[in-house]
Amino acid sequence: MSILNRFATIIKANINELLDRAEDPAKMVDQYLIDLGDNLAKVKQETAGVMAEEKRCQRLVDDNKAEAARMEDLAKKALYAGNEGDARTFLAKKQQLEAKGEELQKAADAAKANADKMRQMHDKLVSDIEQLKARKESIKAKSAVAKTQNMVNEMTSGTDRAAGAIDAFNRMEAKVDKQLDTADSMAELNSAPADSAEALEAKYAGNTDAAVDDELAKLKAEMGL
């Protein structure tokens, strides 16, 4: 796995891991920034190494070009001196260096492409970290509001349950009252019926002496007393 792929995988894995265990976003955002800071340090170190490789490859290309140019100058000097054979030797060396230079240039181009990608990753990571730092307090504030809202919802739910309990008690009390009324009615129905004669007897109980007096007066009249 290349350096670029390796660090892309590390960063992605850390993000997914944080998202999976993000039970408390307020705490996770701090941990996320810490992890990204660690990744940034690694990316920065690797980026510096890739950039150094880019410079080394480019330096080899430049040195090879300089050496080829030097061979050409020596060939010219040999010709000026009338030494065509020496000039041929220098030109042959120049051609070898130019062939080598093509391979060195390919390596330098690849090194530059890797360095560009690493710089882009580094710059993107720095930008992401700065954005997250700017949003951190907002995320924490929203998390606090969410916790408060959950608490209010739980309190409201508790109040609803209390109201439901009161309604249940009212229904039970009404049911008991109905049972008592039914029991009183049954007791009234089960009692013996009243004696009407006894009621009338009580009505006239106070007139017994008057009836006796009348009977006595009648008896005296009959006897001529």
Side-chain angles (χ1 to χ4, degrees), residues 10-52:
I10 290 173
I11 294 173
K12 183 178 180 181
N14 285 342
I15 293 173
N16 290 335
E17 182 181 358
L18 284 166
L19 290 176
D20 289 341
R21 66 172 195 263
E23 298 176 358
D24 188 342
K27 292 181 180 179
M28 282 300 101
V29 70
D30 287 332
Q31 185 60 48
Y32 188 20
L33 287 171
I34 291 174
D35 290 350
L36 284 180
D38 292 341
N39 286 330
L40 177 60
K42 296 174 183 177
V43 170
K44 186 175 292 186
Q45 182 178 2
E46 290 293 337
T47 300
V50 173
M51 290 174 66

Coordinates of all heavy atoms in Angstrom, one line a residue, residues 10-52:
I10 N -6.0 5.5 7.3 CA -5.9 5.9 8.7 C -6.9 6.9 9.1 O -7.6 6.8 10.1 CB -4.4 6.3 9.1 CG1 -3.5 5.1 9.0 CG2 -4.4 6.9 10.5 CD1 -2.0 5.5 9.2
I11 N -6.9 8.0 8.3 CA -7.8 9.1 8.6 C -9.3 8.6 8.5 O -10.1 8.9 9.4 CB -7.6 10.3 7.7 CG1 -6.2 10.8 7.9 CG2 -8.6 11.4 7.8 CD1 -5.8 11.9 6.9
K12 N -9.6 7.9 7.5 CA -11.0 7.4 7.3 C -11.4 6.5 8.4 O -12.5 6.5 9.0 CB -11.1 6.7 6.0 CG -12.5 6.2 5.7 CD -12.6 5.6 4.3 CE -14.0 5.1 4.0 NZ -14.1 4.4 2.7
A13 N -10.5 5.6 8.9 CA -10.8 4.7 9.9 C -11.0 5.4 11.2 O -11.9 5.1 12.0 CB -9.6 3.7 10.1
N14 N -10.2 6.5 11.5 CA -10.4 7.2 12.7 C -11.8 7.9 12.7 O -12.5 8.0 13.7 CB -9.3 8.3 12.9 CG -8.0 7.6 13.3 OD1 -8.0 6.5 13.8 ND2 -6.9 8.3 13.1
I15 N -12.2 8.5 11.6 CA -13.5 9.1 11.5 C -14.6 8.2 11.7 O -15.5 8.4 12.5 CB -13.6 9.8 10.1 CG1 -12.6 10.9 9.9 CG2 -15.0 10.3 9.9 CD1 -12.6 11.5 8.5
N16 N -14.5 7.0 11.1 CA -15.6 6.0 11.3 C -15.7 5.5 12.7 O -16.7 5.3 13.2 CB -15.4 4.8 10.3 CG -15.6 5.2 8.9 OD1 -16.3 6.1 8.6 ND2 -15.0 4.5 8.0
E17 N -14.5 5.3 13.3 CA -14.5 4.9 14.7 C -15.1 5.9 15.6 O -15.9 5.5 16.5 CB -13.0 4.6 15.1 CG -12.9 4.1 16.5 CD -11.4 3.8 16.9 OE1 -10.5 4.1 16.1 OE2 -11.2 3.5 18.1
L18 N -14.8 7.1 15.4 CA -15.4 8.2 16.2 C -16.9 8.3 16.0 O -17.7 8.4 17.0 CB -14.7 9.5 15.9 CG -13.3 9.7 16.5 CD1 -12.7 10.9 15.8 CD2 -13.4 9.9 18.0
L19 N -17.3 8.2 14.8 CA -18.8 8.2 14.5 C -19.5 7.1 15.2 O -20.6 7.2 15.7 CB -19.0 8.2 13.0 CG -18.6 9.5 12.3 CD1 -18.8 9.3 10.8 CD2 -19.4 10.7 12.7
D20 N -18.9 5.9 15.2 CA -19.5 4.7 15.7 C -19.7 4.8 17.2 O -20.7 4.3 17.8 CB -18.7 3.4 15.4 CG -18.8 3.1 13.9 OD1 -19.7 3.5 13.3 OD2 -17.9 2.3 13.5
R21 N -18.8 5.5 17.9 CA -18.9 5.5 19.4 C -19.2 7.0 19.8 O -19.0 7.3 21.0 CB -17.6 5.1 20.0 CG -16.3 6.0 19.8 CD -15.2 5.5 20.6 NE -14.1 6.5 20.7 CZ -13.0 6.5 20.0 NH1 -12.9 5.6 19.1 NH2 -12.1 7.4 20.2
A22 N -19.8 7.7 19.0 CA -20.2 9.1 19.3 C -21.4 9.2 20.1 O -22.5 9.7 19.7 CB -20.3 10.0 18.0
E23 N -21.4 8.7 21.3 CA -22.6 8.7 22.2 C -22.7 10.2 22.8 O -23.8 10.6 23.1 CB -22.4 7.7 23.4 CG -22.4 6.3 22.8 CD -22.2 5.3 23.9 OE1 -22.0 5.7 25.1 OE2 -22.2 4.1 23.7
D24 N -21.6 10.8 23.0 CA -21.6 12.2 23.5 C -20.8 13.1 22.5 O -19.6 13.1 22.6 CB -20.9 12.2 24.9 CG -21.0 13.6 25.6 OD1 -21.3 14.6 24.9 OD2 -20.9 13.7 26.8
P25 N -21.5 13.7 21.6 CA -20.8 14.5 20.6 C -19.9 15.6 21.2 O -18.8 15.9 20.6 CB -22.0 15.2 19.8 CG -23.1 14.2 20.1 CD -22.9 13.7 21.5
A26 N -20.3 16.2 22.3 CA -19.4 17.2 22.9 C -18.1 16.7 23.3 O -17.1 17.4 23.1 CB -20.1 17.8 24.2
K27 N -18.0 15.5 23.8 CA -16.7 14.9 24.1 C -16.0 14.3 22.9 O -14.8 14.4 22.8 CB -16.9 13.7 25.1 CG -17.4 14.2 26.5 CD -17.5 13.0 27.5 CE -18.0 13.5 28.8 NZ -18.2 12.3 29.8
M28 N -16.8 13.8 22.0 CA -16.2 13.2 20.8 C -15.5 14.2 19.9 O -14.6 13.9 19.2 CB -17.3 12.5 20.0 CG -17.7 11.1 20.5 SD -16.2 10.0 20.6 CE -15.8 10.0 22.3
V29 N -16.1 15.5 19.9 CA -15.5 16.5 19.0 C -14.1 16.8 19.5 O -13.2 17.1 18.7 CB -16.4 17.7 18.9 CG1 -16.4 18.5 20.3 CG2 -15.9 18.6 17.8
D30 N -13.9 16.8 20.8 CA -12.5 17.1 21.3 C -11.6 15.9 21.0 O -10.5 16.1 20.6 CB -12.6 17.2 22.9 CG -13.2 18.6 23.3 OD1 -13.1 19.5 22.5 OD2 -13.8 18.7 24.4
Q31 N -12.1 14.7 21.2 CA -11.3 13.5 20.8 C -11.0 13.5 19.4 O -9.9 13.1 18.9 CB -12.0 12.2 21.3 CG -11.2 11.0 21.1 CD -9.9 11.0 21.9 OE1 -9.9 11.3 23.1 NE2 -8.8 10.7 21.3
Y32 N -12.0 13.9 18.6 CA -11.8 13.9 17.1 C -10.7 14.8 16.7 O -9.8 14.5 15.9 CB -13.1 14.3 16.5 CG -13.2 14.2 15.0 CD1 -12.3 13.4 14.3 CD2 -14.1 14.9 14.2 CE1 -12.3 13.3 12.9 CE2 -14.2 14.8 12.8 CZ -13.3 14.0 12.2 OH -13.3 13.9 10.8
L33 N -10.7 16.0 17.3 CA -9.6 17.0 17.0 C -8.2 16.5 17.5 O -7.2 16.7 16.8 CB -9.9 18.3 17.7 CG -11.1 19.1 17.1 CD1 -11.4 20.3 17.9 CD2 -10.7 19.6 15.7
I34 N -8.2 15.8 18.6 CA -6.9 15.2 19.1 C -6.4 14.2 18.1 O -5.2 14.1 17.7 CB -7.1 14.6 20.5 CG1 -7.4 15.7 21.5 CG2 -5.9 13.7 20.9 CD1 -7.7 15.1 22.9
D35 N -7.3 13.3 17.7 CA -6.9 12.2 16.7 C -6.5 12.8 15.4 O -5.5 12.4 14.8 CB -8.1 11.3 16.5 CG -8.4 10.4 17.7 OD1 -7.6 10.4 18.6 OD2 -9.4 9.7 17.7
L36 N -7.2 13.9 14.9 CA -6.8 14.5 13.7 C -5.5 15.2 13.8 O -4.7 15.2 12.9 CB -7.9 15.5 13.3 CG -9.2 15.0 12.6 CD1 -10.1 16.1 12.3 CD2 -8.9 14.1 11.4
G37 N -5.2 15.8 15.0 CA -3.9 16.4 15.3 C -2.8 15.3 15.2 O -1.7 15.6 14.6
D38 N -3.0 14.1 15.7 CA -2.1 13.1 15.6 C -1.8 12.7 14.2 O -0.7 12.5 13.7 CB -2.5 11.8 16.4 CG -2.5 12.1 17.9 OD1 -1.8 13.1 18.4 OD2 -3.2 11.4 18.7
N39 N -2.9 12.6 13.4 CA -2.8 12.2 12.0 C -2.1 13.3 11.3 O -1.3 13.0 10.4 CB -4.2 12.1 11.4 CG -4.9 10.8 11.8 OD1 -4.2 9.8 12.1 ND2 -6.2 10.8 11.9
L40 N -2.3 14.6 11.6 CA -1.6 15.7 10.9 C -0.1 15.6 11.2 O 0.7 15.8 10.2 CB -2.2 17.0 11.5 CG -1.5 18.3 10.9 CD1 -1.6 18.3 9.4 CD2 -2.1 19.5 11.5
A41 N 0.3 15.2 12.4 CA 1.7 15.1 12.7 C 2.3 14.0 11.8 O 3.4 14.2 11.3 CB 1.9 14.8 14.2
K42 N 1.6 12.9 11.6 CA 2.1 11.8 10.8 C 2.2 12.2 9.3 O 3.2 12.0 8.6 CB 1.2 10.6 11.0 CG 1.2 10.0 12.4 CD 0.2 8.9 12.5 CE 0.2 8.3 13.9 NZ -0.8 7.3 14.1
V43 N 1.1 12.9 8.9 CA 1.0 13.3 7.5 C 2.1 14.3 7.2 O 2.8 14.3 6.2 CB -0.4 13.9 7.1 CG1 -0.3 14.6 5.8 CG2 -1.4 12.8 7.2
K44 N 2.3 15.2 8.1 CA 3.4 16.3 8.0 C 4.8 15.6 7.9 O 5.6 16.0 7.0 CB 3.3 17.2 9.2 CG 4.3 18.4 9.0 CD 4.1 19.4 10.2 CE 2.7 20.0 10.1 NZ 2.5 21.1 11.1
Q45 N 5.0 14.6 8.7 CA 6.3 13.9 8.7 C 6.5 13.2 7.4 O 7.6 13.3 6.7 CB 6.4 12.9 9.9 CG 7.7 12.2 9.9 CD 7.8 11.3 11.1 OE1 6.8 11.1 11.9 NE2 8.9 10.6 11.3
E46 N 5.5 12.5 6.9 CA 5.6 11.8 5.7 C 5.7 12.7 4.5 O 6.4 12.5 3.5 CB 4.4 10.8 5.5 CG 4.4 9.7 6.4 CD 5.5 8.7 6.1 OE1 6.1 8.7 5.0 OE2 5.9 8.0 7.0
T47 N 4.9 13.8 4.6 CA 5.0 14.8 3.5 C 6.4 15.4 3.3 O 6.9 15.6 2.2 CB 4.0 16.0 3.8 OG1 2.6 15.4 3.8 CG2 4.0 17.0 2.6
A48 N 7.0 15.7 4.5 CA 8.3 16.2 4.5 C 9.3 15.2 3.8 O 10.2 15.6 3.0 CB 8.8 16.6 5.9
G49 N 9.1 13.9 4.1 CA 9.9 12.9 3.5 C 9.7 12.8 2.0 O 10.7 12.7 1.2
V50 N 8.5 12.9 1.5 CA 8.2 12.8 0.1 C 8.7 14.0 -0.6 O 9.2 13.9 -1.7 CB 6.7 12.6 -0.1 CG1 6.3 12.7 -1.6 CG2 6.2 11.3 0.4
M51 N 8.6 15.2 0.0 CA 9.1 16.4 -0.6 C 10.6 16.3 -0.7 O 11.2 16.8 -1.7 CB 8.7 17.6 0.2 CG 7.2 17.9 0.1 SD 6.7 19.3 1.3 CE 7.6 20.6 0.6
A52 N 11.3 15.7 0.3 CA 12.7 15.6 0.3 C 13.1 14.6 -0.9 O 14.1 14.9 -1.6 CB 13.2 15.0 1.6

